[in-house]
């Protein structure tokens, strides 16, 4: 029997939508079916997730609908325009019209690609996100950012496109590899650091339960994360200001992901190292106590997450890649720092020298 634990709402006027969080929601056809209005649907998944969870999703869409299943190869390296074209080829061949609904079944890669495909197909068709990684459940499925990568930069080609609903079945986390769970927990910590000190303190105390996949602890972490994200997105859907705080550690992290080759460092791992750099810079600027940085490092180490960039990553590569970040405006790099635990600040006055001494200090230079 399914157990709905929480329903949140992302409040965006006529684009508002529910986020359902609970156990075995996929086994209950009502949750999905009520957000797939027409007689056609496209389920986009990958070759790891589809064998695990396609069956209940297909069943929930019922016999009456024409359903196309698009199974992508698994991996960040397939988050490309070529993959998008492959989706469109299938959907065109199966004659889907603009009443069709795209269902994204998978982690953040599937969600971002399928979401962008839904945004583009016939200038926009309905989208339902069914995230199956912790990272996708707490971050990428909520808020409407969709994209593919360019060889020169992550998520550089995309659109803001909100789903009609997000369906989070916490049961799917049972099959998630440990490394992926930990990468997702890095994004969970982010919410505490940028906006919610009580949540951060709770996470510090509850991390062993989360790493042990205790259902109630995970459901609470997902709910508190999505709640934080929903509030930020409702206040600034298209990142004209506040929403940039959701990118704590991401400017450094995206540079690591791009430099290492997409898929070698997991997104959450790169974000973990990036958050340490952002916190370190905050400490150097006298905004946050050094003891908090030491605590964060220790916590991430306990979670087997990286606390520094790859040792072979040279500062020049870092700075060059960071200069391409989407938060660069009028050639000024904007970074998210902390002015306290639970309070982020966006700065645009970080000098090249400050960055060099930060990266040097954490061993990012090999010479
Ligand atoms: P992912 O989609 O690559 O999934 C990680 C791995 O887990 C994959 O091998 C996947 O097949 C597998 N998997 C997924 N669900 C599983 C399950 N239940 N059981 C077993 N295996 C499962 O990676 P991710 O960490 O989910 O997402 C990272 C992507 O999300 C990046 O491309 C990142 O840029 C993007 N992202 C987007 C946003 C946004 O706002 N749109 C926010 C954060 C991250
Ligand atoms: N993950 C960053 C954002 O949604 O804005």
């Amino acid at each position: 029997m399914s157990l709905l634990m929480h329903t949140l709402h992302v409040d965006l006027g006529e684009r508002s939508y529910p986020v359902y969080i609970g156990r075995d929601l996929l086994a209950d056809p009502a949750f999905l079916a009520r957000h797939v209005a027409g007689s056609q649907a496209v389920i986009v998944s990958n070759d790891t997730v589809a064998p695990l969870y396609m069956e209940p999703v297909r069943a929930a869409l019922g016999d009456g609908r024409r359903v196309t299943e698009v199974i992508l190869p698994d991996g960040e390296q397939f988050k490309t325009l070529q993959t998008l074209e492959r989706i469109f080829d299938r959907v065109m061949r199966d004659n889907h019209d603009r009443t069709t609904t795209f269902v994204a079944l998978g982690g953040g890669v599937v969600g971002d690609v399928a979401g962008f495909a839904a945004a583009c197909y016939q200038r926009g068709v309905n989208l339902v996100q069914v995230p199956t990684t912790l990272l996708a459940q707490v971050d990428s499925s909520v808020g409407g950012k969709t994209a593919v990568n360019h060889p020169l930069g992550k998520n550089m080609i995309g659109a803001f496109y909100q789903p009609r609903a997000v369906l989070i079945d916490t049961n799917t986390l049972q099959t998630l590899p440990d490394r992926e769970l930990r990468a997702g927990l890095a994004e969970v910590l982010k919410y505490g650091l940028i906006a919610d000190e009580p949540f951060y303190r709770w996470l510090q105390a509850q991390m062993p339960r989360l790493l042990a996949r205790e259902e109630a602890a995970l459901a609470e972490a997902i709910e508190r994360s999505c709640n934080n994200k929903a509030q930020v997105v409702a206040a600034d859907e298209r990142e004209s200001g506040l929403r940039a705080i959701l990118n704590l550690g991401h400017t450094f992290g995206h540079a690591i992901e791009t430099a290492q080759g997409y898929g070698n460092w997991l997104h959450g791992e790169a974000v973990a190292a990036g958050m340490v750099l952002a916190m370190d810079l905050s400490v150097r600027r006298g905004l946050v106590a050094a003891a908090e940085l030491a605590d964060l490092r220790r916590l991430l180490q306990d979670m087997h997450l990286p606390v520094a960039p790859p040792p072979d990553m040279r500062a020049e590569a870092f700075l060059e890649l960071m200069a391409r970040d989407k938060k660069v405006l009028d050639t000024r790099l904007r970074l998210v720092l902390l002015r306290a635990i639970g309070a982020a600040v966006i700065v645009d006055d970080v000098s090249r020298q400050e960055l060099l001494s930060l990266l040097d200090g954490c061993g990012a230079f090999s010479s």
Side-chain angles (χ1 to χ4, degrees):
M1 200 184 76
S2 72
L3 178 64
L4 181 65
M5 297 179 200
H6 308 279
T7 305
L8 307 175
H9 289 276
V10 183
D11 199 356
L12 289 168
E14 61 183 13
R15 291 185 310 289
S16 298
Y17 53 94
V19 178
Y20 305 112
I21 303 165
R23 189 211 311 143
D24 287 331
L25 299 190
L26 284 182
D28 188 338
F31 282 104
L32 185 56
R34 82 172 72 128
H35 296 286
V36 181
S39 60
Q40 305 168 26
V42 179
I43 310 171
V44 182
S45 191
N46 73 20
D47 51 18
T48 302
V49 177
L52 297 167
Y53 301 111
M54 180 62 87
E55 182 52 44
V57 172
R58 186 191 298 127
L61 295 176
D63 291 335
R65 286 191 187 84
R66 179 148 50 83
V67 177
T68 296
E69 295 172 18
V70 186
I71 314 294
L72 306 175
D74 186 1
E76 180 78 30
Q77 65 274 33
F78 299 107
K79 193 174 154 179
T80 59
L81 282 169
Q82 288 75 18
T83 297
L84 207 62
E85 207 173 331
R86 192 175 147 180
I87 296 175
F88 295 140
D89 287 348
R90 277 297 309 280
V91 175
M92 288 289 293
R93 223 170 37 226
D94 285 2
N95 248 324
H96 283 266
D97 65 29
R98 64 195 331 171
T99 65
T100 198
T101 295
F102 277 46
V103 178
L105 173 68
V109 170
V110 165
D112 279 13
V113 176
F116 189 35
C120 298
Y121 189 64
Q122 304 214 15
R123 302 197 181 92
V125 294
N126 288 345
L127 167 68
V128 176
Q129 291 275 5
V130 184
T132 60
T133 63
L134 181 61
L135 187 139
Q137 294 178 352
V138 299
D139 195 352
S140 58
S141 66
V142 177
K145 279 191 181 176
T146 71
V148 294
N149 299 327
H150 185 276
L152 293 179
K154 275 243 343 153
N155 296 332
M156 276 294 171
I157 302 157
F160 286 98
Y161 197 69
Q162 301 295 341
R164 290 296 171 112
V166 180
L167 201 158
I168 299 174
D169 185 336
T170 55
N171 213 25
T172 57
L173 298 179
Q174 296 308 323
T175 54
L176 195 65
D178 278 339
R179 187 176 168 202
E180 300 291 348
L181 185 84
R182 295 192 291 257
L185 286 169
E187 294 277 16
V188 172
L189 283 176
K190 173 189 79 180
Y191 294 110
L193 289 168
I194 59 172
D196 190 345
E197 182 178 4
F199 184 35
Y200 183 65
R201 301 298 174 210
W202 182 86
L203 289 167
Q204 285 179 312
Q206 301 300 326
M207 195 50 73
R209 291 179 64 210
L210 292 164
L211 291 168
R213 301 176 192 237
E214 275 190 33
E215 187 182 27
L218 281 172
E220 179 165 351
I222 294 167
E223 192 267 335
R224 291 173 82 163
S225 299
C226 289
N227 214 358
N228 272 294
K229 179 144 191 188
Q231 284 179 39
V232 174
V233 169
D236 179 20
E237 182 184 5
R238 289 179 164 250
E239 201 167 308
S240 47
L242 176 75
R243 184 166 178 167
I245 69 170
L246 294 173
N247 290 314
L248 176 73
H250 283 55
T251 304
F252 297 109
H254 284 167
I256 295 172
E257 283 181 88
T258 307
Q260 294 305 109
Y262 297 132
N264 289 319
W265 273 51
L266 300 184
H267 177 72
E269 292 170 342
V271 166
M275 289 195 303
V276 172
L277 288 169
M279 175 91 109
D280 194 342
L281 196 48
S282 310
V283 171
R284 287 163 190 251
R285 287 190 157 205
L287 299 168
V288 176
E292 293 289 3
L293 174 60
D295 284 350
L296 176 65
R297 277 210 179 98
R298 227 178 348 260
L299 181 61
L300 292 172
Q301 276 164 343
D302 289 347
M303 296 162 70
H304 303 287
L305 283 167
V307 294
D312 62 345
M313 193 169 159
R314 300 183 62 86
E316 289 75 17
F318 239 113
L319 296 187
E320 192 185 313
L321 288 165
M322 284 169 61
R324 287 191 222 275
D325 189 86
K326 289 192 290 312
K327 284 183 299 310
V328 172
L329 294 178
D330 286 338
T331 73
R332 287 184 86 87
L333 177 66
R334 294 184 310 144
L335 283 177
V336 185
L337 302 185
L338 298 183
R339 54 185 167 76
I341 299 295
V345 58
I346 300 163
V347 299
D348 68 355
D349 62 347
V350 180
S351 68
R352 183 181 165 84
Q353 198 43 50
E354 241 180 317
L355 285 173
L356 289 178
S357 99
L358 171 77
L359 294 166
D360 203 12
C362 72
F365 286 129
S366 52
S367 62

